[in-house]
Every structure is written in structure tokens, then in C-alpha cells.
Amino acid sequence: MAKQTVAEQFVDILVRAGVRRLYGVVGDSLNPVVDAIRRNSAIDWIQVRHEETAAFAAGAEAQLTGSLAACAGSCGPGNLHLINGLFDAHRSMAPVLALASHIPSSEIGTTFFQETHPDRLFTECSHYSELISSTKQMPRVLQTAIQHAIGQSGVAVVSLPGDIAAEPAPERAIEHALVTARPSVRPGDAELDALAAMIDEADKVTLFCGSGTAGAHAEVMEFAERVKSPVGHALRGKEWIQYDNPYDVGMSGLLGYGAAYEATHECDLLILLGTDFPYNAFLPDDVKIVQVDVRPEHLGRRTTLDLAVWGDVRETLRGLIPKVRPKENRKFLDRMLNKHAEALEGVVKAYTRKVEKHTPIHPEYVASVLDEEAADDAVFTVDTGMCNVWAARYLTPNGRRRVIGSFSHGSMANALPQAIGAQFIDRRRQVVSMSGDGGFSMLMGDFLTLVQYDLPVKVVLFNNSSLGMVELEMLVSGLPSYGTTNQNPDFAAIARAAGAHGVRVEKPKQLRGALRDAFRHKGPALVDIVTDPNALSMPPKISAEMVSGFALSAGKMVLDGGVGRMLQMARSNLRNIPRP
């Protein structure tokens, strides 16, 4: 019986860790690993057109499943292309193992053809980045990398020269049991007692929630009811906390809406639950603040804390709720709910005026119709830029839908690659890529990956022929827009030429039918929608610095951007306010 090679051992360990796909582009230094995958029925090689797509796809898969995903790049330029997607996965706390194959081991350090030093290059976007320079390091280095990725929720990188991958694996190598899931973390009683005392002393408590509230919806709602607290959220917390939430006051930050800003500034005690919200300009500096997070390095790095609590949100609340005295006074909560409804009432006018006749089409209208037509369990991947705004304000979460984006790293061109990873998990689940024309055209080559694998991803292209968010940033800085205009082709025609369903929409009355046709189509589809380039968005609170050189009248105009079905939810919540 032939001895197992390092490449075969590498692949077997990935399978043991639950990896079912390795995304990448083949190359000579990767050949031993790709061939090992060819001969292993438990794992598939997913050929993409650009390694950046591979990393984004793996990151999306890891975010949706919570399990380890993997990508690979050949030596030098091949694995360098992974780096942007790996940065995104790492900052999104997605467990991803990246294989950076390397030049022949005997040539390392000689400025050989395609030579880089991947073990150094990936250190900033990983918890672990090591070079295998001897077969004797296997399988320990790979097992250590996997446990870093899973245990610390981020990226681990293994650099492996192609010649070493082809060598026989060491005999009697130690393969230990792999840890493939994270434990729960509960704070100590002393921290819970201190937090309970602060809550009992406060008259007005506000909760501000991030992605760390995943799996804790019931506990957050129970706690909010107990302390009569308004509940706001960051963008990454929207899908976990906004639905079935009678205490919802919207979102704060650059894409925010509603009364979340007021609720966080007018309370006595602000509790940050599972959020590493980076925009400290939107956080108060004159109220007491507590932060609860499972990542201790997040505690206090955005704002000064009066108490830091290290623990899972769900476990923390489960331990905290019995210790907190129920509050009876809901004046603050009801006032914030009223402010939230009033704020949303005031921003729907522009969206509701003649939208079915307005051309170019209002992107708000597109997002609203998309929200209505998409499946109740759809996965949305969202390009950075104005698509973030439309997703934040128009997609309605329900506990079953998922929304993935480059929300922490802020990369362009993430939506299509992430949709690839999302769709490979389940071909029967609807996956919608909300793409901007700038982001889509940047990695447009991987639309061919959809066709090659017959992945039924639906690309909804918001085509305003501009980099809209960049234009807004220039306006806010008092600069004329420059270098932001795209000369675009008919993207639908390109989709059809590639072998996919493609339709171009230029009039609002065509929109709903085009989306329905795309969703009914069994394979990949692209809906190229020509949208109004003048549709911009501004945050709910605008400082003098934010509007330097930007007329307040223009700011008011873009604030009238609409909020979709959130207004209905706000009105419904008002009906739940007890009447005297």
C-alpha cells in the first residue's frame, strides 16, 4: 500500500474538521493538494476565476454555517490575491483556513520566480500564519491552525511548498482530536452582581446590539421588557435583533435611521451587547456605559466603559435577568418609541412620491420591491456602498433571512463572491446578491463561476453608473465629485452571452415582473436595474463637521430616503404602548 503524501494528509484533516469545499485557482505549487482532493469524495475543489473570490466565498460559508471553511492560492501572486477576502473574513470573525502554497522549499530566500513570504504577509489578517518547511511538522501545524481559526473565530494560514506537499507524510504522526466548536462563556457572579446594581440604580436604560446577539433574541427581548429598555442596533445586529421586537428604535451610525441615536444619548445607562461598533462619534460621552462581549479585546476599545463584562450575550443575560429588579416606569421607552415612529414618518415622503413613474428608478423603490418579492428565508449578500444603505433600510429581517456583507472591512466587490459561498451550502435556498455596478464590475469574471456550476444566485444590480457612496463622501468634504462615473455596458446582455438569464430594467413598472421571472428561473440570473445616481443617503444626526461644504438643504433631501416596512413595525409597536 502506497504511503500517504503530505497533501493527502492535509486534505484528510480538512475533512475531519468538517470542510467540504476548498475554493481556489489551480497552479503548479497547488497541484499535489488539488489532485488529493480529486481522489477524495468527501471534499470538492471549487474553481473560481479569482482567488479574492475564493476567500470571500469561504468567509461567507463560514459566517452562515458557523463552521470552518477553506480557500487556497498557488505560490506568489496566487495566494496574494486571497488577502483582501481574508481580511474581510478575519474582521467578520469567520473561521477560515487558507492554504498559501509556496515555491520549492530549496529556493526559498533566493528571490526565486514568484517568491513571496506568505507566512509573513498574512500575519495581520490572521490569528495564525506559519510555514511548513519539513514534513515532520505535519500534521501538528495544520491542526494548530484549524484550532486557531475555530477557537478564535478568524483566519489561520498555512504556507506549504509544493514539493513538500508531494512528499510522503511522516510515519506514526500524531493526529489529535480536533476542536470544531466554541464553548459558551459566562461572566462570574461578581460581574453580574455589579451590572445588576447599575441597572437597578438607572432610571433609563438603553440596549445597543450587534452581531454578538446572534442566538440571543429571546433573552434580549425578555431583558428589555424587564427593564423597559429601548433596543437599538448596529448594522451587523439588524438581522438578529430587529424582528419581532416591540422595543425597536432603529439603527445608529452612518447608515442609521429612527431614534437609536436619541435613545443611546438620552439614557442613564447604555448597555452595548455583542457589538464592536466602530463609530465612536455616534456614542455618548456623558452617560454610564457597560459593554458585554465574548471577545475581551473588544471591551473598551471604542469608548470609555464604567463596567466591562466578558461573556456571551445569551449566557450573560440568562445569568443577569433573575438578578435585576423589574422596572415599572416605561415613560422613557414609550417616548423613544414615539420618536422612532415620528422619525420614520418623516422620511418616507420622497420614497412615496411618484416612485412608480420616476426614471431613472429610485433605488429605494428597488430595495422595497426586492424585500417584498424575496423568499422568507433568503440569503442576501450586499455590496459595500449605497447597497449597504438600501439593505439597512429596506430588508426586513424575520429570524430566517440572513444578510452578509463586508460590514467590518468595507471592501468593494464582496457581494457576488459571498453569494457563491452562500449558494454552495444549499442550492435550494434563495441567494440574492445586491450588487452595485462598481463592485460587480470589479470581480465580474466570477459571474462565470455561477454559470460553470449552475449556481442559482440571483444578482440584483443597482446600476447608477457611479460610485455613489464615494460621491457622497466627496460632497460631505466639500469636494466636487471626480473620478466616480462609470461607463457601463448592458450587463444583462453580458449575462445572456455567458449563458445565464439576464434582463435590463429601465422603467419602474417593469421591476416586479423582472424580479419574479429571475426568482423563478432555475439557474443563475442577473437583473440589471438602471437607478437614479442622485439618490444618496445621510446619517440621522449630522454634525457641522459632517456637512462641511455640503448644503443642509441637500442633506435634508437625501435624508428623505425612506425606510420600507420598518415604519409599519414602528406603528405596530406604538399600538402596544399602554394607554392611561
Side-chain angles (χ1 to χ4, degrees):
M1 181 176 177
K3 293 183 64 176
Q4 189 179 48
T5 65
V6 167
E8 290 168 335
Q9 185 183 54
F10 192 102
V11 171
D12 282 350
I13 292 171
L14 288 185
V15 171
R16 284 179 50 214
V19 175
R20 295 295 173 261
R21 283 162 289 276
L22 189 64
Y23 301 90
V25 178
V26 296
D28 57 352
S29 57
L30 263 180
N31 286 346
V33 173
V34 176
D35 188 62
I37 292 172
R38 178 183 64 83
R39 291 179 282 106
N40 191 321
S41 61
I43 188 171
D44 292 323
W45 173 258
I46 305 300
Q47 176 186 346
V48 295
R49 302 306 174 103
H50 194 292
E51 290 90 350
E52 183 176 353
T53 296
F56 271 123
E61 180 179 323
Q63 289 181 69
L64 289 167
T65 64
S67 301
L68 185 71
C71 58
S74 59
C75 62
N79 62 58
L80 279 178
H81 286 160
L82 294 171
I83 197 163
N84 189 51
L86 292 182
F87 259 101
D88 183 81
H90 195 57
R91 300 190 68 182
S92 299
M93 296 179 289
V96 170
L97 187 285
L99 168 59
S101 67
H102 207 351
I103 63 172
S105 56
S106 61
E107 302 297 336
I108 295 174
T110 68
T111 318
F112 190 70
F113 175 65
Q114 293 188 324
E115 181 175 8
T116 59
H117 293 88
D119 52 315
R120 304 178 201 171
L121 288 165
F122 292 104
T123 54
E124 191 176 350
C125 63
S126 67
H127 292 301
Y128 183 88
S129 181
E130 291 294 343
L131 169 68
I132 294 177
S133 55
S134 165
T135 61
K136 295 178 182 180
Q137 292 173 267
M138 279 289 288
R140 288 181 299 163
V141 167
L142 178 57
Q143 292 173 152
T144 301
I146 288 170
Q147 295 186 176
H148 272 78
I150 294 170
Q152 298 187 42
S153 295
V155 171
V157 182
V158 173
S159 302
L160 177 63
D163 61 310
I164 291 179
E167 290 182 12
E171 294 184 5
R172 294 183 297 277
I174 299 173
E175 293 190 25
H176 59 71
L178 290 169
V179 174
T180 57
R182 288 174 55 87
S184 297
V185 179
R186 181 189 182 277
D189 288 335
E191 287 78 14
L192 292 175
D193 290 340
L195 177 52
M198 293 178 68
I199 294 167
D200 288 343
E201 292 172 5
D203 291 326
K204 299 176 292 185
V205 179
T206 292
L207 308 182
F208 187 67
C209 302
S211 61
T213 56
H217 185 275
E219 287 79 8
V220 174
M221 295 303 106
E222 182 181 356
F223 182 62
E225 169 56 30
R226 194 171 185 87
V227 300
K228 305 299 184 285
S229 169
V231 178
H233 59 268
L235 177 56
R236 290 190 67 196
K238 175 184 171 75
E239 63 177 327
W240 305 114
I241 216 66
Q242 188 189 38
Y243 70 96
D244 296 340
N245 181 356
Y247 317 100
D248 177 57
V249 291
M251 190 169 83
S252 191
L254 294 169
L255 311 184
Y257 53 83
Y261 183 92
E262 288 83 354
T264 56
H265 283 72
E266 297 180 25
C267 60
D268 301 323
L269 175 64
L270 173 61
I271 304 178
L272 306 174
L273 293 176
T275 179
D276 190 36
F277 183 70
Y279 304 107
N280 54 18
F282 289 90
L283 294 174
D285 55 13
D286 57 352
V287 304
K288 290 184 177 180
I289 300 179
V290 174
Q291 185 177 2
V292 178
D293 206 291
V294 73
R295 302 285 288 263
E297 67 271 22
H298 290 180
L299 296 171
R301 71 177 181 180
R302 306 302 184 192
T303 188
T304 302
L305 301 180
D306 294 275
L307 179 65
V309 179
W310 181 10
D312 298 340
V313 171
R314 183 170 65 177
E315 294 302 319
T316 299
L317 293 181
R318 285 178 173 178
L320 178 65
I321 288 171
K323 295 176 178 286
V324 174
R325 291 196 303 268
K327 297 185 186 295
E328 301 299 330
N329 187 339
R330 53 179 291 151
K331 288 183 178 179
F332 175 61
L333 170 59
D334 292 345
R335 183 162 61 87
M336 290 300 110
L337 290 175
N338 275 293
K339 276 196 170 187
H340 180 58
E342 290 169 2
L344 299 192
E345 291 276 8
V347 299
V348 298
K349 294 177 182 176
Y351 160 67
T352 56
R353 279 199 304 266
K354 300 180 180 178
V355 290
E356 294 186 353
K357 297 181 180 178
H358 182 90
T359 55
I361 303 169
H362 279 308
E364 302 96 329
Y365 179 65
V366 177
S368 180
V369 175
L370 173 61
D371 180 57
E372 294 170 2
E373 295 295 332
D376 288 341
D377 66 344
V379 177
F380 297 91
T381 60
V382 183
D383 260 344
T384 298
M386 297 309 298
C387 283
N388 271 195
V389 179
W390 314 138
R393 296 188 175 183
Y394 289 92
L395 294 186
T396 305
N398 57 13
R400 299 172 61 201
R401 286 178 166 181
R402 294 299 311 274
V403 182
I404 302 293
S406 185
F407 299 141
S408 296
H409 186 49
S411 173
M412 285 182 66
N414 61 284
L416 174 62
Q418 288 176 329
I420 291 171
Q423 193 71 83
F424 265 113
I425 298 169
D426 185 354
R427 288 175 174 269
R428 296 168 298 178
R429 190 174 185 181
Q430 188 181 87
V431 176
V432 180
S433 172
M434 293 179 63
S435 298
D437 58 286
F440 179 76
S441 58
M442 184 177 283
L443 284 176
M444 186 168 60
D446 268 294
F447 188 81
L448 300 177
T449 301
L450 301 184
V451 177
Q452 179 166 334
Y453 288 96
D454 196 28
L455 288 176
V457 170
K458 314 308 178 188
V459 178
V460 179
L461 186 60
F462 289 71
N463 183 1
N464 63 1
S465 298
S466 71
L467 303 177
M469 185 63 79
V470 179
E471 285 193 356
L472 176 60
E473 292 165 351
M474 289 179 170
L475 289 169
V476 168
S477 300
L479 301 172
S481 59
Y482 182 75
T484 59
T485 301
N486 295 328
Q487 182 174 331
N488 288 330
D490 182 336
F491 289 109
I494 291 177
R496 292 193 298 272
H501 174 86
V503 61
R504 185 173 174 90
V505 177
E506 298 180 346
K507 296 180 180 179
K509 65 181 181 181
Q510 302 169 331
L511 176 62
R512 195 176 297 271
L515 289 175
R516 288 179 178 178
D517 288 344
F519 290 151
R520 281 194 294 262
H521 183 70
K522 294 185 182 298
L526 182 144
V527 184
D528 179 8
I529 306 166
V530 180
T531 60
D532 189 348
N534 295 315
L536 300 173
S537 174
M538 288 286 277
K541 286 292 178 181
I542 310 173
S543 68
E545 292 80 8
M546 290 178 188
V547 295
S548 172
F550 189 54
L552 282 175
S553 59
K556 181 170 177 155
M557 175 189 72
V558 296
L559 276 172
D560 287 343
V563 287
R565 287 189 275 178
M566 286 180 287
L567 176 58
Q568 294 171 276
M569 187 172 71
R571 288 171 174 163
S572 177
N573 287 345
L574 287 184
R575 290 197 292 271
N576 296 325
I577 295 177
R579 301 301 177 188

